[in-house]
Amino acid sequence: MNPEASVVDNVIDTVSAVFLVVGALMSLAAAVGLLRFPDLLSRMHAATKPQVLGLFLLLAAIGLQLRSWWVWPVLLVAWIFQLLTVPISAHMVGRAGYRTKHLHRELLSSDELEAVVQKAAQSARDESSRDEASDGGRRD
Amino acid sequence: MMQTVLAVTAVILSLAAAGAIIRISRGPSLLDRVLASDVLLAILGAALCIDMAVNRHLNNLMLLVALSVVGFIGSVTVARFVADRREQANES
């Protein structure tokens, strides 16, 4: 093996080691955020770190360690799959958390959903009162 | 060098898993527990990735994709059917 190749090898090894350690630290950051943050929405903010950036760093480290080009598309597919599924589940959890009032309103800087929810509740109330009126008319 | 990286990341991931498990056991609401178990699943996936990178194989890649599918279906299902059973709001 010529010396140049071993230098390149060392550089790739170092870069992938840094990626592995930083990717693991993302998981630790998520755990610390889960323990320290006050309510569900801010905990969700912390929980996304290992799911997207952490997974990207670890998959990049795998690609660097395997030293071949054909693995990169496979790893990209795995990462894109995670990118597609994580926002949907986060949206569902956040929506359920808003509806069941698991949030501290004083921590929100703006609440764009509140007007929509009020309007939907108002129209549902109108609907039910109109139904009652028409029912009463039939009974009389 | 790879062996030291393996040891360091093992310690970090063990601490992270302990934190997520504490939040699962303590979490005031069901959604907190769902979120923390999602994080625990992500930590498991990180451990699989580190195993693949250090030992230079790709055996766990399908397992990683299956793990993300399980996390997705689980959290979406629980979030769909969650209901509010508390007396007063804002105690989380």
Side-chain angles (χ1 to χ4, degrees):
Chain A
M1 194 196 269
N2 55 341
E4 242 177 79
S6 92
V7 168
V8 171
D9 231 33
N10 267 333
V11 169
I12 291 178
D13 261 0
T14 313
V15 170
S16 69
V18 169
F19 276 11
L20 284 173
V21 172
V22 175
L25 280 175
M26 288 292 155
S27 296
L28 188 63
V32 171
L34 278 181
L35 289 179
R36 304 262 319 158
F37 281 167
D39 68 341
L40 179 72
L41 295 182
S42 46
R43 281 179 202 141
M44 282 176 68
H45 154 71
T48 48
K49 263 72 213 167
Q51 289 172 346
V52 177
L53 182 57
L55 190 72
F56 171 76
L57 289 172
L58 294 173
L59 289 177
I62 294 173
L64 289 175
Q65 281 292 307
L66 286 179
R67 308 267 202 288
S68 52
W69 288 112
W70 61 267
V71 293
W72 285 96
V74 182
L75 299 174
L76 192 70
V77 166
W79 189 59
I80 286 179
F81 192 76
Q82 182 87 351
L83 272 189
L84 287 179
T85 56
V86 160
I88 301 173
S89 60
H91 168 79
M92 293 294 284
V93 170
R95 184 173 169 279
Y98 187 91
R99 290 297 166 96
T100 55
K101 300 187 179 58
H102 284 114
L103 68 160
H104 289 285
R105 285 201 176 276
E106 66 274 12
L107 292 180
L108 294 179
S109 51
S110 75
D111 187 358
E112 293 170 336
L113 192 54
E114 185 168 28
V116 181
V117 170
Q118 296 285 349
K119 204 173 158 192
Q122 183 64 42
S123 73
R125 235 176 289 140
D126 287 353
E127 195 86 358
S128 69
S129 68
R130 206 179 311 134
D131 282 356
E132 271 170 31
S134 65
D135 278 357
R138 222 179 300 138
R139 226 177 285 132
D140 285 338
Chain B
M1 187 168 73
M2 277 300 134
Q3 293 310 307
T4 37
V5 168
L6 186 61
V8 169
T9 51
V11 170
I12 293 172
L13 288 184
S14 308
L15 286 175
I21 289 171
I22 289 173
R23 180 47 76 189
I24 289 178
S25 70
R26 197 196 282 166
S29 73
L30 178 65
L31 288 169
D32 282 311
R33 297 197 168 97
V34 170
L35 194 67
S37 58
D38 235 19
V39 170
L40 193 60
L41 213 60
I43 292 169
L44 272 174
L48 290 177
C49 279
I50 288 169
D51 174 47
M52 280 191 282
V54 171
N55 296 324
R56 297 190 178 179
H57 60 82
L58 279 177
N59 301 345
N60 297 336
L61 203 61
M62 280 304 110
L63 191 55
L64 193 68
V65 173
L67 213 64
S68 71
V69 176
V70 168
F72 168 65
I73 294 175
S75 55
V76 166
T77 310
V78 176
R80 179 70 186 77
F81 292 108
V82 73
D84 196 10
R85 294 211 198 90
R86 289 171 308 162
E87 299 298 314
Q88 60 183 15
N90 260 352
E91 68 189 15
S92 59

